[in-house]
Amino acid sequence: MMNLSMIGIASSFFMVFCGLWSFISYHKHLLNSLLSLEFMMLGVFWLLSMQTAGVGSEIYFSLFFLTLAACEGALGLSLLVFVVRSHGNDRFMSFNLLEC
């Protein structure tokens, strides 16, 4: 019988692989890509918190990781706002590489 920690580890790997699949499949809009990256980061955070829960008092590393993931999300949203203001939409096909 599987214990609860194995189910948590399996669900975190499932979250990471679903995020990777959505990142590869739905790459037409920048917002879809950012959401799938955040979903992968949440899966990695869940795996990290499940692994450090067995060690004991090593919760500070997972809080540091969560802080970096929040900063990454804020940076992605600011880039999304900049792209929508400059190009009018967030589709990757409308970006011109020659435009400054």
Side-chain angles (χ1 to χ4, degrees), residues 15-27:
M15 285 174 66
V16 170
F17 287 127
C18 283
L20 184 65
W21 178 73
S22 67
F23 184 72
I24 292 170
S25 298
Y26 304 114
H27 56 74

Side-chain angles (χ1 to χ4, degrees), residues 10-97:
S11 65
S12 65
F13 277 122
F14 183 71
M15 285 174 66
V16 170
F17 287 127
C18 283
L20 184 65
W21 178 73
S22 67
F23 184 72
I24 292 170
S25 298
Y26 304 114
H27 56 74
K28 292 183 181 181
H29 293 280
L30 182 61
L31 183 62
N32 288 343
S33 300
L34 290 175
L35 284 174
S36 62
L37 286 175
E38 280 297 318
F39 193 67
M40 284 191 298
M41 291 298 280
L42 283 175
V44 171
F45 172 70
W46 181 253
L47 179 67
L48 184 67
S49 65
M50 292 293 290
Q51 290 297 318
T52 58
V55 175
S57 65
E58 292 294 326
I59 196 71
Y60 296 113
F61 184 70
S62 61
L63 288 176
F64 180 70
F65 181 79
L66 189 61
T67 303
L68 289 179
C71 291
E72 178 256 337
L75 180 65
L77 286 177
S78 66
L79 286 174
L80 178 69
V81 168
F82 176 72
V83 164
V84 168
R85 284 186 180 176
S86 65
H87 293 289
N89 58 8
D90 67 335
R91 289 184 54 94
F92 282 120
M93 297 300 284
S94 66
F95 296 157
N96 188 2
L97 295 177

